[in-house]
Amino acid sequence: MGHVDTSTRPSAVPASGARRPAAVLRPHVAGYTGFHTRFPTPRRRLELPTGFVTLVFTFSEGLWVTRTGELAAARLRPAVVSRALVAGPRTVPAIGVHAGAVHGLEVNMSPLGAYRLFGVPMVHFEDSLVDLGEVLGPVGRHLPERLRSLGGWDERFDLLDSVFAARLDRGPDVTPGVRGALARLWTDSGPGALARATVDTGWSARHLRARFREEVGLPPKAVARVFRLQHALRALAAGVAPAEVAAARGYHDQAHFGRDVKAMTGLPPARFAALRGGLPPGSALDRMPGRITSVLLPPETG
């Protein structure tokens, strides 16, 4: 791979668009983002665990993606093979690489929303990137080309609204206990949070794990880890010292915090903060309100 430009300024103004979905979909889908950018050199983005499900449509060649816990061992896969990939909730980073020009559309949805819309156990998405045709059938197989053929972002977003809204009544119901536990883990991600969330449901820990794997895609302990990471990264990005973040978020000590951040992002806390360069959560680099989603990686050498 050649040198990578880490500048945030493209060589031309990107033809991009973003929109919230139709009102009926908003409990399930966070938003749509269209992108068509041209940069002078290749770029690499580190995509961090967020707890959300990401669906990417590619309208041109040149986008490569991977999921790995070790950045140096990343094996890239061309997204253009299927034109659409689904990545479920995860505890390890992903890397997206493009040669400078990239054109496509991204959908971010909650795991419970994806469970309703796709109608398959969310554990199906746990360890791999999934082709959309596997979970939406013929509609999914033809959707990338239908989107690509349309002339503008609003038309594409309207089509997604139509396709997703038509699936809402066909999908499985979300268990109220899972919904409540997921919300509890986001607001209460410190020590003992999982035990408190389990008590709230009235279920055994084993039953809660089974329901989470079905409807969320990760076990509750992994979800709690991801949510705690997100809160910690928000603080780091805001300039809070790692030792203070570790204490505030309930890690055993700073070393425990450093190990967890490295395992889930591929970066030590100080390196993450340096690469973010002071950008706050919700910056142009991030694709979802309230989440730290991405870091631009430095140029490869050698």
Side-chain angles (χ1 to χ4, degrees):
M1 179 97 194
H3 289 290
V4 177
D5 177 22
T6 57
S7 166
T8 59
R9 297 181 58 189
S11 58
V13 177
S16 60
R19 196 175 84 186
R20 295 186 70 194
V24 70
L25 292 169
R26 289 176 190 172
H28 315 287
V29 180
Y32 308 135
T33 303
F35 50 88
H36 193 180
T37 59
R38 293 179 177 86
F39 294 85
T41 55
R43 290 163 68 87
R44 296 191 304 157
R45 285 169 61 110
L46 181 66
E47 304 295 344
L48 307 174
T50 64
F52 275 67
V53 175
T54 300
L55 166 58
V56 177
F57 297 94
T58 59
F59 302 154
S60 62
E61 297 186 17
L63 177 63
W64 295 70
V65 292
T66 187
R67 281 181 67 172
T68 178
E70 293 292 335
L71 302 188
R75 291 186 177 183
L76 297 174
R77 163 182 178 178
V80 75
V81 167
S82 63
R83 297 287 188 189
L85 295 171
V86 186
R90 51 195 166 80
T91 59
V92 295
I95 298 174
V97 179
H98 64 79
V102 61
H103 187 197
L105 193 157
E106 180 177 296
V107 181
N108 285 291
M109 57 185 70
S110 71
L112 299 184
Y115 179 61
R116 283 287 306 276
L117 294 171
F118 295 143
V120 298
M122 290 302 294
V123 70
H124 186 64
F125 302 101
E126 183 177 13
D127 292 319
S128 63
L129 296 161
V130 177
D131 189 296
L132 190 61
E134 296 178 31
V135 292
L136 288 186
V139 171
R141 284 190 288 273
H142 299 299
L143 187 55
E145 286 306 319
R146 291 177 66 192
L147 289 167
R148 185 173 181 269
S149 69
L150 295 173
W153 295 119
D154 281 338
E155 295 171 89
R156 290 167 177 149
F157 300 155
D158 287 344
L159 175 58
L160 290 174
D161 277 348
S162 175
V163 169
F164 292 151
R167 295 190 61 83
L168 277 180
D169 291 336
R170 305 179 196 172
D173 291 331
V174 171
T175 308
V178 173
R179 188 184 300 280
L182 199 62
R184 175 69 182 258
L185 290 174
W186 175 252
T187 58
D188 177 13
S189 59
L194 181 54
R196 291 188 288 274
T198 305
V199 168
D200 285 349
T201 65
W203 296 337
S204 68
R206 180 177 180 179
H207 186 68
L208 183 64
R209 283 195 300 272
R211 294 314 314 157
F212 260 60
R213 287 177 66 81
E214 171 77 14
E215 301 181 31
V216 179
L218 290 176
K221 184 175 181 180
V223 171
R225 246 185 107 202
V226 170
F227 286 175
R228 180 163 66 165
L229 172 77
Q230 277 291 321
H231 290 303
L233 294 184
R234 285 166 57 89
L236 278 177
V240 180
E244 295 179 45
V245 176
R249 300 315 311 177
Y251 291 93
H252 297 313
D253 51 31
Q254 188 174 346
H256 174 215
F257 172 54
R259 289 193 301 271
D260 212 43
V261 172
K262 179 69 182 298
M264 298 177 75
T265 72
L267 300 169
R271 184 59 174 155
F272 162 82
L275 289 175
R276 281 287 297 192
L279 287 175
S283 72
L285 192 59
D286 299 312
R287 304 178 315 282
M288 285 177 281
R291 295 292 201 276
I292 298 285
T293 70
S294 311
V295 173
L296 284 178
L297 292 173
E300 289 186 321
T301 58

